[in-house]
Amino acid sequence: MTSTTQTTRHVAVALQKGGVGKTMVSINVAGALANRGHDVLFVDTDPQGNATEGLGFADTYLEDAPHLASILADGEGDLADIVLEHEEMDVVPSNIDMFTAEAELVSAMQGRRRLERAVDGLLEERDYDFVIYDTPPSLLVMTDSALLAAGNVLIPALAEETSTRALDILFNQIDTIEANFDTTVREIGVVANRVEPDGESKRMMDWFEDTFGDAVPVFEVRKRVALKRAWNNSVSIFEHDESSDMEAVFDDIAAHLEAEL
């Protein structure tokens, strides 16, 4: 791939609460950036491999080494060996052995820094404008690794009361990472996902704006069947043959990332 900029920009899409549509947001943000002419690398750090499946690479999830797990845990191979070409982006797929690798990385020397080093090695060989990291629904090693590698986090959350506690936990974890690794992880936006036209969603959207509006933008993604159909066809909404008003929202997110990073 040929880069159109001098500096690669990194974004982790992270929230430890499951069921918030984090992977759908990750894929469509990556698709929006690609649609705007950027070369994008998508890194699936989730041991469950949902993004790997959602981008059409389910078969690679069960392949033998080298894969992301062996590269991080055993130092076998490098990311250039396993990058896959999707019509919108390049993809570093997850693998079933990531479950074992994540446990090993807890006690490994510089375990949480290995993803960062692996991506840096790839960037010495290939040029990308953006790297998007999809993270697990947990605050374990791989989420920490993605936050450290990215230095920027885009936060998906549902427009419901349970999100307030989940956000508090994430911010506490970011504080811990910053203190332990002498680094900064910058919150660059909140994506309120699957917003419904009801009272609870309205109250939560008001809360998001009151809480984050002066610091970072809050993007509202409404529940749309077209987004699910795009997923079923292994593409973002931008390559799907069915249009959706949510394309404009993801394009706004991409424009924000361009401007801020």
Side-chain angles (χ1 to χ4, degrees):
M1 302 184 90
T2 301
S3 178
T4 58
T5 65
Q6 295 297 313
T7 303
T8 303
R9 292 164 278 185
H10 301 251
V11 180
V13 181
L15 187 72
Q16 74 284 354
K17 187 176 186 296
V20 300
K22 175 177 49 58
T23 298
M24 184 278 292
V25 169
S26 300
I27 289 174
N28 283 284
V29 168
L33 290 165
N35 189 61
R36 294 176 73 89
H38 295 290
D39 291 331
V40 180
L41 176 68
F42 188 102
V43 183
D44 184 4
T45 70
D46 185 353
Q48 297 176 88
N50 291 330
T52 298
E53 179 180 359
L55 289 168
F57 299 116
D59 290 346
T60 68
Y61 181 68
L62 298 175
E63 286 186 350
D64 294 333
H67 43 57
L68 184 56
S70 66
I71 290 168
L72 297 181
D74 305 325
E76 296 180 9
D78 58 49
L79 291 187
D81 298 330
I82 65 169
V83 170
L84 302 174
E85 293 185 3
H86 182 270
E87 59 192 281
E88 297 176 85
M89 65 200 80
D90 280 3
V91 179
V92 174
S94 184
N95 183 273
I96 192 170
D97 287 347
M98 289 288 289
F99 287 105
T100 302
E102 184 163 49
E104 294 175 358
L105 290 171
V106 171
S107 57
M109 182 177 296
Q110 291 292 302
R112 286 170 171 79
R113 288 288 196 184
R114 293 188 182 186
L115 177 64
E116 181 180 11
R117 291 202 302 267
V119 172
D120 285 347
L122 176 61
L123 293 176
E124 292 177 359
E125 302 179 42
R126 304 187 186 189
D127 293 329
Y128 295 99
D129 300 316
F130 283 89
V131 182
I132 303 298
Y133 303 82
D134 187 38
T135 62
S138 66
L139 289 178
L140 300 176
V141 173
M142 289 316 304
T143 297
D144 287 355
S145 298
L147 292 170
L148 284 166
N152 302 288
V153 59
L154 181 68
I155 306 166
L158 298 181
E160 58 183 39
E161 293 291 340
T162 57
S163 293
T164 60
R165 177 59 176 158
L167 289 164
D168 284 341
I169 294 171
L170 175 64
F171 295 143
N172 288 338
Q173 183 70 5
I174 289 172
D175 289 342
T176 300
I177 291 171
E178 291 179 329
N180 289 343
F181 291 89
D182 190 25
T183 190
T184 299
V185 179
R186 178 185 175 201
E187 296 95 21
I188 55 173
V190 174
V191 181
N193 192 31
R194 298 177 184 163
V195 178
E196 299 273 14
D198 58 33
E200 182 180 17
S201 290
K202 176 62 168 61
R203 288 191 300 274
M204 281 302 299
M205 289 307 302
D206 290 342
W207 182 85
F208 285 136
E209 290 292 346
D210 291 342
T211 304
F212 300 104
D214 291 337
V216 298
V218 178
F219 301 95
E220 181 177 336
V221 175
R222 291 187 171 270
K223 189 174 183 179
R224 294 290 186 266
V225 174
L227 293 170
K228 178 62 175 176
R229 289 174 179 155
W231 169 279
N232 290 338
N233 284 281
S234 303
V235 294
S236 79
I237 192 63
F238 295 91
E239 283 297 314
H240 187 45
D241 57 9
E242 180 181 4
S243 62
S244 169
D245 56 344
M246 292 301 100
E247 289 182 32
V249 178
F250 284 107
D251 187 66
D252 286 345
I253 297 172
H256 171 65
L257 297 181
E258 288 176 336
E260 292 297 316
L261 300 179

